[in-house]
Amino acid sequence: MELDDTDRKLLLFLQEDCKQTTKELAGKLGLSVTAVYERIKKLENAGVISKYVALLDRKKINREFIVLCHVKLTQHKKEFVLQFEREVMNLQEVTECFHVSGDYDYILKIGVRNIEDYRNFMLTKLTTLQHIASTHSSFMISEVKNTTAIAL
């Protein structure tokens, strides 16, 4: 789908705050409310907008201990990769999982309360998954940038 300048601006406004009304967006874009509504529907139907979510403050829900865990599988067999990916989807502490190149096969972003919770997660959940050869964990010291917005 080709996006014009108005679509791009609309998407940036929605990424900033998707609870803005079509009237507010229309005012910012210089369009009618109907035109904005139709553009949003077009973007949703085309899959450009895949869903709307609420972003939570990790501190307020006591999940501010962030770990990046590198995981290496024992082998790169298709069945091992697919099984690991299925199983990691069920780990609530894992908020992001990337299949990567390099020394490790996956990088997991994990949010827990503290180091004790992370130890418990490792012992009772992550290391119980099959086909894991090794892990390497890095702990967040401070958050420099965190955005969900995609530049258009």
Side-chain angles (χ1 to χ4, degrees):
M1 174 180 182
E2 283 295 316
L3 301 176
D4 64 19
D5 287 341
T6 304
D7 288 332
R8 287 184 183 83
K9 287 178 188 173
L10 175 58
L11 289 168
L12 289 171
F13 290 142
L14 288 171
Q15 287 183 100
E16 200 175 274
D17 179 7
C18 70
K19 290 190 77 171
Q20 296 176 79
T21 65
T22 51
K23 183 177 180 181
E24 291 170 320
L25 292 166
K28 291 179 179 181
L29 294 167
L31 297 173
S32 70
V33 172
T34 302
V36 170
Y37 176 82
E38 289 173 357
R39 279 182 182 265
I40 291 172
K41 283 298 166 199
K42 176 185 75 171
L43 293 164
E44 289 172 347
N45 291 335
V48 174
I49 299 173
S50 60
K51 64 180 162 180
Y52 298 92
V53 298
L55 300 177
L56 307 181
D57 184 327
R58 286 194 310 269
K59 289 180 183 177
K60 294 187 178 179
I61 61 167
N62 202 16
R63 293 291 181 275
E64 62 184 311
F65 192 78
I66 302 300
V67 182
L68 296 178
C69 181
H70 297 70
V71 176
K72 185 181 291 190
L73 299 182
T74 55
Q75 293 181 3
H76 297 109
K77 288 183 175 180
K78 182 179 179 179
E79 67 238 36
F80 289 9
V81 167
L82 294 176
Q83 181 178 0
F84 175 81
E85 291 176 359
R86 273 193 311 273
E87 291 175 344
V88 82
M89 294 295 287
N90 295 320
L91 301 176
Q92 293 178 348
E93 295 86 351
V94 176
T95 57
E96 297 179 58
C97 175
F98 303 98
H99 192 181
V100 297
S101 63
D103 292 336
Y104 289 89
D105 301 310
Y106 291 91
I107 298 175
L108 310 179
K109 182 177 176 185
I110 300 162
V112 291
R113 287 183 292 198
N114 52 40
I115 190 76
E116 292 84 16
D117 271 2
Y118 183 63
R119 181 178 190 276
N120 185 52
F121 168 78
M122 287 294 288
L123 293 174
T124 63
K125 294 182 180 181
L126 187 61
T127 58
T128 65
L129 301 183
Q130 295 181 2
H131 315 302
I132 292 180
S134 65
T135 63
H136 174 84
S137 301
S138 300
F139 307 104
M140 180 180 75
I141 295 171
S142 70
E143 188 171 79
V144 177
K145 181 178 181 180
N146 181 352
T147 183
T148 59
I150 297 172
L152 300 170

